[in-house]
Amino acid sequence: MVVFIGGVARGFSGFGFSALCVSGLSLVISPAQVIPPIFILEILASLTLLRQAIKQADFSWLSWLLLGNALCIPLGIAILNFVPQIYVRLLIGALLVLLVGVQLRGLQWHGAPTRLLRFLTGLASGLVNGLTAMGGLVVAAMMSATPLPAVAMRATLVLLFFFGDLYALLCAAVMPVNTEVGAPLLGWGALSMALFMAVPMAAGMLVGQRFFNHTTPQQFRRLVLRLLMLLAVITVARALFQLIGSAG
């Protein structure tokens, strides 16, 4: 159900799939097991929009975002591989509360975005993408606060997801065995989980594309953000409860 809802969000708004799936599935599955399959599914989802995105993307944003991702995605994946998963869950929830809260408040960036801002956004999204597969929300939060047109923003995100997640997947393939699940970050388990989740994702994307014809993007994105906030609060509460329990 979580994957289907994530597919609906991706099919309609162009982002939100990773955030919904990671925050939802991390309630019952280790983030280290969830994130590699999400990388695979994000790549597959982007393939259907690739040709159009190349024509519409803002490459002044994309180039700096890709550079930042290339530098920080391996660091995020390395941290994911060795940090206890309870802290990863807490970080996922806290990041969602912060990023979704910024978007719900509608904060705006005054002035043209500088190269440094674009590069720092790329670094932050790369770290978050490697660690939680939700780096797209960092970019979406920053780009939505600038005057960048919605079409260009969506196309830039599609290309960033495609190249960034492909790179992250390659990094995960060469990472050591995960200490918690006793298996490589990218192996048959991740591939089989991605195959299992591909059907509900595809179905959700079809529904999302149909919703687009009847609902404004602003209305639906606010619905997705509210759902993300709910999942973030649940994730943080569960992680804090586990920390208190382990301390006792």
Side-chain angles (χ1 to χ4, degrees):
M1 188 53 137
V2 172
V3 177
F4 174 79
I5 295 173
V8 174
R10 185 70 152 83
F12 185 87
S13 65
F15 69 93
F17 176 76
S18 294
L20 279 166
C21 289
V22 172
S23 57
L25 296 177
S26 291
L27 296 174
V28 293
I29 305 174
S30 163
Q33 292 176 283
V34 173
I35 291 173
I38 296 301
F39 285 150
I40 297 173
L41 293 174
E42 282 283 15
I43 292 169
L44 294 177
S46 296
L47 281 174
T48 62
L49 304 171
L50 204 57
R51 181 178 298 180
Q52 184 181 24
I54 291 174
K55 299 177 182 178
Q56 299 174 336
D58 185 318
F59 285 90
S60 64
W61 264 101
L62 183 63
S63 57
W64 290 104
L65 293 175
L66 288 175
L67 177 59
N69 271 249
L71 293 174
C72 281
I73 281 177
L75 177 60
I77 293 177
I79 295 173
L80 170 70
N81 198 33
F82 296 106
V83 171
Q85 297 304 315
I86 186 172
Y87 297 109
V88 175
R89 289 191 180 99
L90 185 59
L91 179 60
I92 288 172
L95 286 172
L96 274 174
V97 169
L98 175 63
L99 295 174
V100 175
V102 168
Q103 295 185 65
L104 284 174
R105 284 185 168 270
L107 299 181
Q108 295 292 317
W109 174 267
H110 297 287
T114 63
R115 293 180 179 178
L116 179 60
L117 174 66
R118 294 168 182 166
F119 181 54
L120 291 176
T121 302
L123 291 175
S125 69
L127 181 64
V128 175
N129 205 36
L131 187 59
T132 67
M134 295 186 295
L137 275 185
V138 177
V139 181
M142 289 302 301
M143 294 176 76
S144 62
T146 69
L148 188 68
V151 172
M153 173 182 165
R154 178 188 173 92
T156 304
L157 285 172
V158 168
L159 292 181
L160 177 64
F161 290 154
F162 178 73
F163 291 112
D165 289 331
L166 183 61
Y167 177 63
L169 203 60
L170 293 175
C171 291
V174 300
M175 286 289 172
V177 170
N178 179 265
T179 55
E180 180 172 313
V181 301
L185 284 174
L186 180 63
W188 287 113
L191 294 174
S192 60
M193 186 179 294
L195 182 62
F196 178 76
M197 294 190 295
V199 174
M201 181 194 73
M205 288 184 67
L206 288 175
V207 173
Q209 290 170 357
R210 291 185 179 181
F211 278 174
F212 183 80
N213 297 325
H214 304 285
T215 312
T216 66
Q218 293 80 8
Q219 290 174 329
F220 190 76
R221 288 190 186 193
R222 288 191 68 84
L223 177 62
V224 171
L225 290 173
R226 287 167 181 165
L227 179 58
L228 281 171
M229 184 63 80
L230 174 62
L231 290 171
V233 171
I234 294 174
T235 302
V236 170
R238 182 170 183 261
L240 289 175
F241 180 78
Q242 290 178 329
L243 279 174
I244 294 172
S246 62

